Amino acid sequence: MNLPERIVLATNNPKKLAELRRIVAACGLAVEVSGLRDFPAYPEPEETERTFEGNAFLKATAAARETGLVAVADDSGLAVDELNGM
């Protein structure tokens, strides 16, 4: 398997970054995981997609474009039935 030496998690959340670092280490992968705070700030994309998956894709694509690294992202939000899924 040909892994990159470094990837970026498209988040400013230190807890999410620590979690992905733990997962990567537990898998025995020699990959450095950086967060958005490790790079110059850039305009983050608006979350315009209708799904969490779609918004995660927007975030990862922007991070990859801005950093030049392989990027991963998540978008874990809440969908509230009483607010018509908003």
Side-chain angles (χ1 to χ4, degrees), residues 78-86:
L78 298 173
V80 181
D81 291 338
E82 293 298 320
L83 296 175
N84 296 319
M86 294 188 287

Side-chain angles (χ1 to χ4, degrees), residues 18-34:
E19 181 179 11
L20 184 57
R21 286 177 174 159
R22 278 193 305 272
I23 292 167
V24 168
C27 292
L29 301 174
V31 176
E32 179 186 349
V33 181
S34 298

Side-chain angles (χ1 to χ4, degrees), residues 3 19 25 44 62 70 81:
L3 296 173
E19 181 179 11
E44 293 184 44
V70 171
D81 291 338

Side-chain angles (χ1 to χ4, degrees), residues 1-2 8 14 16 19 26 30 43 55 59 63 66 68-69 71 74 77 85:
M1 183 184 319
N2 204 4
V8 60
K16 287 183 181 182
E19 181 179 11
N55 285 322
K59 293 176 188 180
E66 295 292 331
L69 298 174
D74 81 311

Side-chain angles (χ1 to χ4, degrees), residues 35-82:
L36 292 181
R37 292 180 182 178
D38 297 314
F39 300 93
Y42 62 86
E44 293 184 44
E46 288 188 45
E47 297 181 14
T48 56
E49 295 297 316
R50 297 184 60 99
T51 65
F52 297 136
E53 179 182 317
N55 285 322
F57 182 78
L58 291 175
K59 293 176 188 180
T61 301
R65 181 179 59 250
E66 295 292 331
T67 66
L69 298 174
V70 171
V72 294
D74 81 311
D75 187 54
S76 53
L78 298 173
V80 181
D81 291 338
E82 293 298 320

